[in-house]
Structure formats: structure tokens, C-alpha cells
């Protein structure tokens, strides 16, 4: 990534859009503090990402999960409470209540005892989003959250993202699907190793910006 500069705030639902290899995942990893910039700086609520990890929940593009390990949906979501619970302590009533609420938000309340390996791809993604919600972070970053997800799960997740935005949280979703932008997001950040555009979807996703991102005439995209 080079020359990427933007600012966003509470109550925003942002799409990070661009072709494969455009730097979407790199940007997400930098924002959460997993990749250090070689120049410039990143501030999350005024502080570096490495000091703001409790304020950010991150759902990576591909969860590194041993699907043969017998872990339940409830236990995966409880992992989101680890920072709050701390070492050598067991989850309390408040933690279990938050997990139940997160299950309800993603419409998985009847699958808490199910093994994650038994779920469909869309259901698994809902569980990982619920784990992020359990952290109670003010910023939620999701890398290709809709990739390989069924329509029911997509509708559920977008409903949740809209609720989070209305609650004053910042939600950023990396995507390469242009079709979903206009109806789903407030703002888009357009990338192709550099920032091609940033702002409201309707005024930012212009033919000139599309050509910068994809290097082709908009009529061929």
C-alpha cells in the first residue's frame, strides 16, 4: 500500500473495495496492528493500533481453525470475552449473558451447543462475527466477510452491521463485490495498492475511480 490516507468516525458502515491483490487485507492487518507501516502513522481513537487492541474486533478473511477439534459454538464466542475475563478466571454470569445475546443477534441462539465443524460456511461466519461482537469493541473490521456465505447469512450479517452502525460503532468490511455497495454501505474506500477514492458510495464510485481500481473501461467490469 502507498499513499493511503483517510479518517472515519463513529456510526459509519464502510466498505473497503478493490480487486484481488489490491491491499484490502494488508490495510485491515495494519489497522489492527498486525502489520507495521514503513512510513506514516495509524491512530485508533488517537493512539497506535498496538495500544488500542481492546477497542478493535477483527474477523480475518480465513479463520485458522482446526475443524476437527471438538469446540462448540458457545465456546468460540466466549473466546471474545478472554481479554475481559483475564487469565486464570472462569467466565461469569455477565460473560455468559453476553454470549447468549451475541448468539441471538446473529440468529444462532439454537446452535450454542453445536460443534462448529457441523455448521455450514455461512453459519460459521456468523459465529465468528458473534465472537467479535462479544468483545464489545467500538471498531469492527471484517475481511471478506461475505465470501462464500449463503444469502440468509448475508442478510443476517448486514442487519447486524446496520444495527452496530446505528449504535455508534464503526464497521469496516473488505469486499470485492461492487454489486452490494450502493444498497448496503454509507461510505467506500477504493483501493488498488493506492487509494483511488474515499467518500459516500454514490459520489465516490465513479467511472474514473473504477478505471483506476480495475484498469479497464467501466463497461467491461
Amino acid at each position: 500500500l502507498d499513499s493511503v490516507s483517510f479518517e472515519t468516525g463513529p456510526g459509519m458502515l464502510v466498505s473497503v473495495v478493490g480487486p484481488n491483490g489490491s491491499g484490502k487485507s494488508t490495510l485491515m492487518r495494519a489497522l489492527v496492528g498486525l502489520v507495521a507501516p514503513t512510513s506514516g502513522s495509524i491512530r485508533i481513537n488517537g493512539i497506535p493500533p498496538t495500544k488500542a487492541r481492546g477497542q478493535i474486533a477483527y474477523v480475518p478473511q480465513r479463520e485458522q481453525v482446526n475443524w476437527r477439534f471438538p469446540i462448540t459454538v458457545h465456546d468460540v464466542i466466549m473466546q471474545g470475552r478472554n481479554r475481559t475475563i483475564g487469565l486464570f478466571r472462569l467466565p461469569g454470569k455477565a460473560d455468559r449473558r453476553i454470549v447468549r445475546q451475541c448468539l441471538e443477534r446473529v440468529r444462532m441462539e439454537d446452535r450454542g451447543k453445536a460443534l462448529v465443524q457441523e455448521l455450514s460456511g455461512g453459519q460459521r461466519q456468523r459465529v465468528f462475527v458473534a465472537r467479535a461482537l462479544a468483545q464489545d469493541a467500538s471498531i469492527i473490521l471484517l475481511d471478506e466477510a461475505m465470501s462464500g456465505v449463503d444469502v440468509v447469512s448475508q442478510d443476517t450479517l448486514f442487519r447486524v452491521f446496520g444495527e452496530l452502525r446505528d449504535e455508534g460503532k464503526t464497521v469496516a468490511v473488505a469486499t470485492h463485490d461492487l454489486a452490494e455497495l450502493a444498497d448496503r454501505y454509507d461510505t467506500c474506500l477504493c483501493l488498488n495498492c493506492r487509494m483511488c477514492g474515499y467518500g459516500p458510495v454514490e459520489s465516490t464510485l465513479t467511472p474514473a475511480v473504477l478505471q483506476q481500481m480495475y484498469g479497464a473501461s467501466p463497461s467491461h467490469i
Side-chain angles (χ1 to χ4, degrees), residues 94-161:
D95 300 301
R96 290 191 288 272
R97 183 183 69 253
I98 288 171
V99 168
R100 287 196 301 271
Q101 291 170 346
C102 293
L103 276 167
E104 291 170 359
R105 291 196 77 162
V106 299
R107 295 181 177 173
M108 294 284 290
E109 59 269 27
D110 60 336
R111 303 307 304 274
K113 295 181 180 180
L115 297 178
V116 175
Q117 64 187 10
E118 299 172 349
L119 304 180
S120 68
Q123 289 174 327
R124 289 174 182 174
Q125 189 70 321
R126 281 192 262 169
V127 170
F128 294 132
V129 169
R131 183 182 62 186
L133 299 180
Q135 297 179 46
D136 196 28
S138 61
I139 300 167
I140 302 175
L141 307 177
L142 306 105
D143 193 354
E144 297 287 358
M146 302 302 165
S147 180
V149 173
D150 58 87
V151 173
V152 172
S153 292
Q154 285 188 28
D155 289 343
T156 298
L157 292 176
F158 275 119
R159 175 186 55 79
V160 172
F161 298 160

Side-chain angles (χ1 to χ4, degrees), residues 56-77:
I56 310 172
Y58 174 51
V59 181
Q61 184 171 358
R62 291 181 179 85
E63 288 282 352
Q64 299 300 312
V65 175
N66 179 356
W67 296 115
R68 293 173 294 181
F69 188 79
I71 187 170
T72 67
V73 168
H74 179 277
D75 290 342
V76 169
I77 300 173

Side-chain angles (χ1 to χ4, degrees), residues 157-210:
L157 292 176
F158 275 119
R159 175 186 55 79
V160 172
F161 298 160
E163 291 172 354
L164 294 170
R165 173 198 57 202
D166 295 343
E167 292 167 10
K169 297 184 185 294
T170 305
V171 182
V173 183
T175 180
H176 60 268
D177 188 352
L178 295 177
E180 69 186 23
L181 296 189
D183 297 332
R184 302 287 197 175
Y185 297 95
D186 309 313
T187 304
C188 63
L189 171 62
C190 302
L191 290 180
N192 191 351
C193 298
R194 301 174 68 91
M195 192 170 76
C196 304
Y198 178 65
V201 174
E202 296 82 359
S203 58
T204 302
L205 210 63
T206 63
V209 168
L210 288 170

Side-chain angles (χ1 to χ4, degrees), residues 17-63:
V17 63
N20 291 334
S22 61
K24 299 187 298 294
S25 295
T26 299
L27 177 62
M28 291 281 180
R29 290 170 59 81
L31 291 174
V32 82
L34 297 176
V35 174
T38 54
S39 64
S41 63
I42 300 171
R43 291 292 181 268
I44 305 295
N45 293 327
I47 58 179
T50 53
K51 296 182 179 180
R53 286 179 178 165
Q55 302 175 38
I56 310 172
Y58 174 51
V59 181
Q61 184 171 358
R62 291 181 179 85
E63 288 282 352

